[in-house]
Short mmCIF file of all heavy atoms in Angstrom, two decimals:
data_model
loop_
_atom_site.label_atom_id
_atom_site.label_comp_id
_atom_site.label_asym_id
_atom_site.label_seq_id
_atom_site.Cartn_x
_atom_site.Cartn_y
_atom_site.Cartn_z
N ARG R 1 4.89 -2.80 8.23
CA ARG R 1 5.14 -1.43 8.96
C ARG R 1 5.71 -0.44 7.99
O ARG R 1 5.29 0.73 8.11
CB ARG R 1 6.26 -1.65 9.99
CG ARG R 1 5.56 -2.17 11.34
CD ARG R 1 6.44 -2.35 12.50
NE ARG R 1 7.17 -1.01 12.66
CZ ARG R 1 8.51 -0.94 13.05
NH1 ARG R 1 9.16 -2.09 13.36
NH2 ARG R 1 9.18 0.15 13.27
N GLY R 2 6.63 -0.88 7.00
CA GLY R 2 7.11 0.02 6.06
C GLY R 2 6.02 0.51 5.09
O GLY R 2 5.95 1.62 4.70
N LEU R 3 5.10 -0.39 4.70
CA LEU R 3 4.01 -0.12 3.93
C LEU R 3 3.06 0.82 4.61
O LEU R 3 2.49 1.83 3.89
CB LEU R 3 3.18 -1.37 3.54
CG LEU R 3 2.54 -1.34 2.20
CD1 LEU R 3 3.41 -0.94 1.13
CD2 LEU R 3 1.86 -2.75 1.94
N VAL R 4 2.78 0.78 5.80
CA VAL R 4 2.05 1.80 6.57
C VAL R 4 2.55 3.23 6.44
O VAL R 4 1.83 4.19 6.20
CB VAL R 4 1.79 1.39 8.07
CG1 VAL R 4 1.22 2.53 8.89
CG2 VAL R 4 0.95 0.03 8.10
N VAL R 5 3.97 3.23 6.63
CA VAL R 5 4.59 4.61 6.47
C VAL R 5 4.46 5.01 5.07
O VAL R 5 4.03 6.18 4.78
CB VAL R 5 6.09 4.38 6.88
CG1 VAL R 5 6.77 5.68 6.56
CG2 VAL R 5 6.19 4.12 8.36
N LEU R 6 4.76 4.27 4.06
CA LEU R 6 4.51 4.73 2.69
C LEU R 6 3.14 5.10 2.41
O LEU R 6 2.86 5.94 1.57
CB LEU R 6 5.01 3.57 1.70
CG LEU R 6 6.49 3.28 1.72
CD1 LEU R 6 6.85 2.12 0.85
CD2 LEU R 6 7.32 4.50 1.30
N SER R 7 2.13 4.44 2.89
CA SER R 7 0.64 4.62 2.62
C SER R 7 0.25 5.94 3.04
O SER R 7 -0.82 6.50 2.68
CB SER R 7 -0.17 3.51 3.08
OG SER R 7 -0.20 3.46 4.53
N LYS R 8 1.04 6.65 3.94
CA LYS R 8 0.65 7.88 4.53
C LYS R 8 0.96 9.10 3.44
O LYS R 8 0.46 10.09 3.53
CB LYS R 8 1.30 8.26 5.87
CG LYS R 8 0.89 7.31 7.10
CD LYS R 8 1.56 7.55 8.19
CE LYS R 8 1.18 6.58 9.23
NZ LYS R 8 2.04 6.82 10.51
N ASP R 9 1.74 8.70 2.49
CA ASP R 9 2.21 9.62 1.50
C ASP R 9 1.26 9.61 0.25
O ASP R 9 1.15 8.56 -0.38
CB ASP R 9 3.65 9.30 0.92
CG ASP R 9 4.17 10.33 0.07
OD1 ASP R 9 3.33 11.28 -0.46
OD2 ASP R 9 5.35 10.12 -0.33
N PRO R 10 0.47 10.59 0.00
CA PRO R 10 -0.54 10.54 -1.05
C PRO R 10 0.04 10.20 -2.40
O PRO R 10 -0.48 9.63 -3.34
CB PRO R 10 -1.12 11.86 -1.08
CG PRO R 10 -0.87 12.39 0.14
CD PRO R 10 0.43 11.86 0.77
N SER R 11 1.40 10.62 -2.66
CA SER R 11 2.10 10.29 -3.95
C SER R 11 2.28 8.80 -4.13
O SER R 11 2.57 8.44 -5.30
CB SER R 11 3.35 11.10 -4.05
OG SER R 11 4.26 10.63 -3.22
N MET R 12 2.20 8.08 -3.10
CA MET R 12 2.44 6.54 -3.19
C MET R 12 1.08 5.84 -3.48
O MET R 12 1.17 4.52 -3.61
CB MET R 12 3.12 6.09 -1.84
CG MET R 12 4.45 6.56 -1.69
SD MET R 12 5.59 5.92 -3.09
CE MET R 12 5.49 4.21 -2.85
N ALA R 13 -0.07 6.45 -3.39
CA ALA R 13 -1.30 5.75 -3.45
C ALA R 13 -1.42 4.76 -4.65
O ALA R 13 -1.83 3.71 -4.43
CB ALA R 13 -2.44 6.85 -3.47
N GLU R 14 -1.06 5.31 -5.73
CA GLU R 14 -1.25 4.42 -6.98
C GLU R 14 -0.40 3.30 -6.97
O GLU R 14 -0.83 2.12 -7.26
CB GLU R 14 -1.00 5.27 -8.34
CG GLU R 14 -1.36 4.57 -9.55
CD GLU R 14 -2.93 4.28 -9.68
OE1 GLU R 14 -3.60 5.28 -9.19
OE2 GLU R 14 -3.26 3.33 -10.18
N SER R 15 0.86 3.34 -6.48
CA SER R 15 1.78 2.29 -6.41
C SER R 15 1.35 1.21 -5.39
O SER R 15 1.39 0.08 -5.72
CB SER R 15 3.18 2.80 -6.07
OG SER R 15 3.61 3.70 -7.01
N ILE R 16 0.75 1.70 -4.26
CA ILE R 16 0.43 0.82 -3.22
C ILE R 16 -0.88 0.10 -3.63
O ILE R 16 -1.15 -1.06 -3.24
CB ILE R 16 0.27 1.58 -1.88
CG1 ILE R 16 1.71 1.95 -1.37
CG2 ILE R 16 -0.44 0.68 -0.89
CD1 ILE R 16 1.73 2.88 -0.22
N ARG R 17 -1.76 0.86 -4.32
CA ARG R 17 -2.97 0.11 -4.91
C ARG R 17 -2.75 -1.13 -5.63
O ARG R 17 -3.46 -2.03 -5.74
CB ARG R 17 -3.78 1.18 -5.68
CG ARG R 17 -5.11 1.31 -5.22
CD ARG R 17 -5.97 2.33 -5.81
NE ARG R 17 -5.88 3.61 -5.06
CZ ARG R 17 -5.51 4.82 -5.47
NH1 ARG R 17 -5.31 4.94 -6.80
NH2 ARG R 17 -5.56 5.89 -4.74
N SER R 18 -1.54 -1.18 -6.32
CA SER R 18 -1.21 -2.44 -7.07
C SER R 18 -0.95 -3.60 -6.21
O SER R 18 -0.99 -4.83 -6.57
CB SER R 18 0.10 -2.15 -7.92
OG SER R 18 1.16 -2.00 -7.02
N LEU R 19 -0.83 -3.27 -4.85
CA LEU R 19 -0.71 -4.41 -3.85
C LEU R 19 -2.00 -4.89 -3.26
O LEU R 19 -2.02 -5.76 -2.31
CB LEU R 19 0.32 -4.04 -2.86
CG LEU R 19 1.75 -3.67 -3.33
CD1 LEU R 19 2.53 -3.11 -2.07
CD2 LEU R 19 2.38 -4.88 -3.85
N THR R 20 -3.07 -4.18 -3.67
CA THR R 20 -4.45 -4.56 -2.99
C THR R 20 -4.75 -6.11 -2.83
O THR R 20 -5.04 -6.49 -1.87
CB THR R 20 -5.49 -3.82 -3.66
OG1 THR R 20 -5.16 -2.36 -3.73
CG2 THR R 20 -6.87 -4.18 -3.07
N GLN R 21 -4.59 -6.85 -3.99
CA GLN R 21 -4.99 -8.23 -3.97
C GLN R 21 -4.08 -9.01 -3.02
O GLN R 21 -4.51 -9.77 -2.20
CB GLN R 21 -4.76 -8.85 -5.29
CG GLN R 21 -5.52 -10.27 -5.39
CD GLN R 21 -6.88 -10.33 -5.01
OE1 GLN R 21 -7.79 -9.54 -5.39
NE2 GLN R 21 -7.13 -11.16 -3.94
N SER R 22 -2.83 -8.80 -2.95
CA SER R 22 -1.87 -9.39 -2.01
C SER R 22 -2.29 -9.12 -0.62
O SER R 22 -2.10 -9.96 0.16
CB SER R 22 -0.38 -8.96 -2.35
OG SER R 22 0.00 -9.30 -3.68
N LEU R 23 -2.56 -7.91 -0.43
CA LEU R 23 -2.94 -7.55 1.02
C LEU R 23 -4.27 -7.96 1.34
O LEU R 23 -4.27 -8.52 2.60
CB LEU R 23 -3.05 -6.00 1.04
CG LEU R 23 -1.71 -5.24 0.92
CD1 LEU R 23 -1.87 -3.75 0.95
CD2 LEU R 23 -0.73 -5.52 2.12
N MET R 24 -5.21 -8.20 0.52
CA MET R 24 -6.45 -8.81 0.96
C MET R 24 -6.20 -10.35 1.22
O MET R 24 -6.81 -10.86 2.09
CB MET R 24 -7.44 -8.63 -0.25
CG MET R 24 -8.18 -7.22 -0.14
SD MET R 24 -9.70 -7.19 -1.07
CE MET R 24 -9.11 -7.15 -2.82
N ASP R 25 -5.37 -10.92 0.47
CA ASP R 25 -5.03 -12.27 0.69
C ASP R 25 -4.47 -12.65 2.11
O ASP R 25 -4.71 -13.50 2.81
CB ASP R 25 -4.14 -12.91 -0.24
CG ASP R 25 -4.71 -12.93 -1.75
OD1 ASP R 25 -6.03 -12.93 -1.82
OD2 ASP R 25 -3.97 -13.08 -2.79
N LEU R 26 -3.54 -11.57 2.52
CA LEU R 26 -2.96 -11.63 3.83
C LEU R 26 -3.93 -11.29 4.93
O LEU R 26 -3.53 -11.51 6.12
CB LEU R 26 -1.85 -10.67 3.87
CG LEU R 26 -0.53 -11.17 3.04
CD1 LEU R 26 0.54 -10.13 3.15
CD2 LEU R 26 0.01 -12.43 3.65
#
């Protein structure tokens, strides 16, 4: 839920992209 909120902020895009593999696993 926190990540959904953060992902709405374009400035967080690069940081959240680093979690892509973990999210795909989930």
Side-chain angles (χ1 to χ4, degrees):
R1 277 188 48 218
L3 207 51
V4 168
V5 172
L6 290 175
S7 67
K8 292 176 184 176
D9 182 357
S11 68
M12 293 296 300
E14 192 63 39
S15 301
I16 293 175
R17 236 175 259 129
S18 67
L19 299 173
T20 299
Q21 189 58 51
S22 298
L23 293 173
M24 279 197 288
D25 293 343
L26 286 173

